[in-house]
Amino acid sequence: MQRLEIWRTTTFRLTLVYGLAFAIGVVAVLGLTYASTAVFMTRQMNQIVVGQARGLQGVPPRALAETFRQLEEQDVRHVYYFGLFRRDGAWIAGNVHRLPPGTPQDGLPRPLREPGFQPGARALAERLPSGEILFVGFDAKVLSGLRAIILSALLLSGALVIVLGLAVGAALSLAPLRRIRAMQQASQPILDGELSARLPTSNKGDEIDLLAGIANGMMDEVERLLWAVKSVGDNVAHDLRTPLTRLRALLYRVREETGPSAAHADMIDQALSETDALLTRFKALQRISEIDRRERRAGFASVRLQALVEQIGELYAPLAEQHGQRLLVEAEDACEILADRDLLFEAFSNLMSNAVKFTPAGGVVRLKLTRRTEGPRLEVIDTGPGVPEAEREAVLERFYRGREAGRAPGCGLGLSIVAAVARLHNFRLELGDAAPGLRVTLDCWAPAMGR
Amino acid sequence: MTRILAIEDDEITAREIVAEFTRRGYEVECVADGREGLVRAVSGEFEAVTLDRMLPNVDGLTIVSVMRKAGIDIPVLMISALTDVDERIRGLRAGGDDYMTKPFASEEMSARLEVLLRRARAQPRETMLRVQDLELDLVTREARRGGREIALLPTEFKLLEYLMRNAGEVLTRTMIFEAIWGYHFDPGTNLIDVHLSGLRRKVDAPGLTPLIRTIRGSGYALSATA
C-alpha cells in the first residue's frame, strides 16, 4: 500500500502556501519601505547638494580652494565632495580630481555614478560666472546602508518563514496524518476481503470524520448487499438441490423399474447424467460458500505437503496417461505447515484436474513442490493454452470459464474452490504464464500480517 | 429378511428411504421421533439403522452414542443436512459408521448401507480374499487370477481389496474415493473411472470372464458369482 508522507498532506501544503504568501507580504512591505525611503532621501540629498552649491557660489573662485579645505575639515563623516575645474575640465581644487564625463553643467542634482561612490550619491555641476566649473557631490552612504538592512531583514525573515512554516506545517499535519494512517491500517482488512471492518472515527466531527463516516456507511451497504447476494446464491443452491435430488431419484427409479432394454432407457440415462451435472454444480457452489463460511483456522493441523503432493500425483497419474500426457511430480521435503489437509488436497486436486483437462495429448503436466525460506510453494504447470492475462482474475470467480475452456467439460467452479481454500488459509494464489501453458502458483504460507 | 430401522423426521426423505430399501428387498421400519427411535434402535430387532442428525426430542448424536454405550454395534448410517466437515467428524466420533449429507441419491444411500452391513457380517481377520477365480493375499500382498499372478500398484491393491471385500455390492465413485483416498469431496467421475479401468485391464485380461462390472449411473461392482 502506498505510504502517506508528511509533505503530501493537505495541512502541510496549506501551511507552506501560507508561509509563501507571508513571505511575499514581507518582501512587499520591506520593498515599499525601501522605495519610499529612497525617494524621501533623494529629495533630502538634492536639497543638501543644491544648498551647498548655492553657498559656494557666493565665494570668489580664488577663495574656493581655501573654503573647500575648511569644509573638508568640518566634514568628519566624509560625505561632501567638491571640485573646481577649468573650462576644459582640468582640476583646480577640491577632493574630486576628475569631472565625471558628460556631467551637464546646469546646476541640477543627478545621481552620481562614478567609481568610488556608493549608489544613491547625488551631485551637480554648474558653470560659475567666471567660467570655471563647480562640482558639488553628496554621498551619505545611507541608501546603501538602508538597502543592506532591508536585504538582511529579507533574508532573515525568509529563513524564518521557511523554517517556521515547515515546522508549523509538520506539527499541524502530524495529528491528521496519524489519523489517516490509522484509517489506512484499518482499511487493509477491508481490502483483504474482511467486509465487517470499519474505519476509525474520532469525536471531533471534522472533515476526516465526515469522510470516514461516509466510507463506513458505504461499507455497511456493500456488506449488506454482498450478504444478500451471497445468501441468495447459497439458498438457491441449497433449495434447488433438494428437488433436483428428488427428480434424480424419480428418474433413477423409472430406469430401475423399466430395465435397460426399455424403449426410452437411453433418454432416461441422458436425463440422469444431466441431472447429475446440475447437482455437481450446485454442490460445488455450496462447497465454496461452505469453505468461505468456515471459521478461520478451525480444523487446522500440521500438514506435511510432500506426502500430500505425492498422493495427488498418484491419484492423477492414470488420468494423465489416459490423456496421453506426461505427468512429472517433483516434491521436495518442505517444512510442515498449519493447514486444513482435506481442503488443501481438494484444492490441489482441482488444479490438477484443470491442468489435465486443458493440456493436449503429448503435453506435459508438472506438479512441483519447492521449499522456500518463507514456506512450501506448490506449482502446477501445464503446456495447455494458458489463460490470457486479462482473464486471470476472472477465472477465479464463480462460473467464469475462459474462452479456451469452451468445449471442455466442467462448470467453472474448480478454480473458485481453489481460491476459496487459498483465502481461508491466507495463501497467495497466482496464475502466470508458463510460455506456453499455465503456471498456477500457490504459496503455502500466510504473509506477515500488517504491512 | 434383513430389517432396517430408519429414524428420519422429514416425511419425503423417509418415504424415499423406505421405497429404496423395499425395492432392494429389505424390511424397513420408519420412526420420526428421536425418543421412539432410540427405544426401537436398542430393541435388537434390526440389523442396521439410518439416522437423521437432527430429530425432535432426542437428537441423532445422542441416539448413536447411547446405542454404543448399550453395546449395540449394528451399523449406523448417519444422514444429515449439516454438511460441515466438523459435523461428519462429530457423527463418526459419536459412533456412526458412515455419514451422508442431504440431499442424497437413494442408490448411494443403499450402497453405503449394504457395504456397512457386509462389513458387520464379515469374518474378522481374513488373510485371503476369494471371488470366483480371483485371489488376493492380504499378507503377501499378491493377487492371482486363475492361478496367474497379477502385478498391482499399491493403489490398485487397495482398490481391488475394497472391491473384493464388498463383492456383489454396488460401490459408487464417491464411496470408492472415500474408501481408497480418504477424502470427502467430489473428485469428478472420470478420475475414479480411469483408476478402475486400469485395474480392470489387469484383472479382466482378454479372454477371461469380466469380474468388474460398471453399474450405469451409479458406480462399480465386482461379480460375486459366475
Side-chain angles (χ1 to χ4, degrees), chain A residues 30 53 55 82 169 191 246 284 333-335 421:
Chain A
L30 289 179
F82 318 97
L191 291 175
R246 286 180 190 147
D333 186 13
C335 67
V421 172

Side-chain angles (χ1 to χ4, degrees), chain A residues 191-358:
Chain A
L191 291 175
D192 290 342
E194 198 183 304
L195 295 178
S196 56
R198 289 292 177 270
L199 299 179
T201 50
S202 67
N203 292 325
K204 291 184 187 152
D206 59 4
E207 64 275 17
I208 295 181
D209 278 345
L210 189 73
L211 286 178
I214 291 173
N216 283 344
M218 293 196 293
M219 281 308 303
D220 287 343
E221 187 63 9
V222 166
E223 196 188 9
R224 193 186 65 75
L225 287 176
L226 220 68
W227 271 111
V229 168
K230 249 189 184 165
S231 60
V232 163
D234 293 353
N235 289 342
V236 165
H238 183 264
D239 292 352
L240 290 186
R241 262 185 84 188
T242 310
L244 259 178
T245 311
R246 286 180 190 147
L247 172 68
R248 195 199 176 279
L250 270 176
L251 280 171
Y252 175 73
R253 210 181 314 171
V254 169
R255 214 199 61 147
E256 286 285 280
E257 279 166 16
T258 53
S261 53
H264 298 300
D266 276 356
M267 283 160 84
I268 295 173
D269 276 347
Q270 213 177 323
L272 264 173
S273 75
E274 291 292 337
T275 321
D276 281 341
L278 265 177
L279 274 169
T280 308
R281 270 172 220 206
F282 284 128
K283 226 167 162 176
L285 257 189
Q286 258 189 308
R287 183 91 187 123
I288 294 168
S289 48
E290 234 174 77
I291 296 170
D292 276 341
R293 259 205 316 270
R294 195 171 291 188
E295 271 294 302
R296 266 172 200 258
R297 314 247 150 207
F300 275 26
S302 193
V303 178
R304 185 146 221 119
L305 283 183
Q306 196 186 24
L308 210 64
V309 166
E310 277 163 2
Q311 203 181 7
I312 283 281
E314 190 197 41
L315 178 62
Y316 276 90
L319 194 64
E321 195 185 306
Q322 192 198 50
H323 284 232
Q325 300 153 351
R326 222 146 46 90
L327 174 63
L328 302 175
V329 182
E330 306 154 47
E332 278 182 16
D333 186 13
C335 67
E336 284 186 9
I337 56 166
L338 197 64
D340 188 313
R341 185 192 165 84
D342 291 10
L343 286 182
L344 278 188
F345 191 88
E346 186 173 348
F348 295 176
S349 171
N350 276 311
L351 291 179
M352 283 301 290
S353 172
N354 277 343
V356 171
K357 198 187 296 173
F358 293 117

Side-chain angles (χ1 to χ4, degrees), chain A residues 18-41:
Chain A
Y18 285 147
L20 196 69
F22 184 69
I24 290 171
V26 167
V27 168
V29 166
L30 289 179
L32 206 69
T33 313
Y34 176 77
S36 47
T37 314
V39 165
F40 171 75
M41 282 190 2

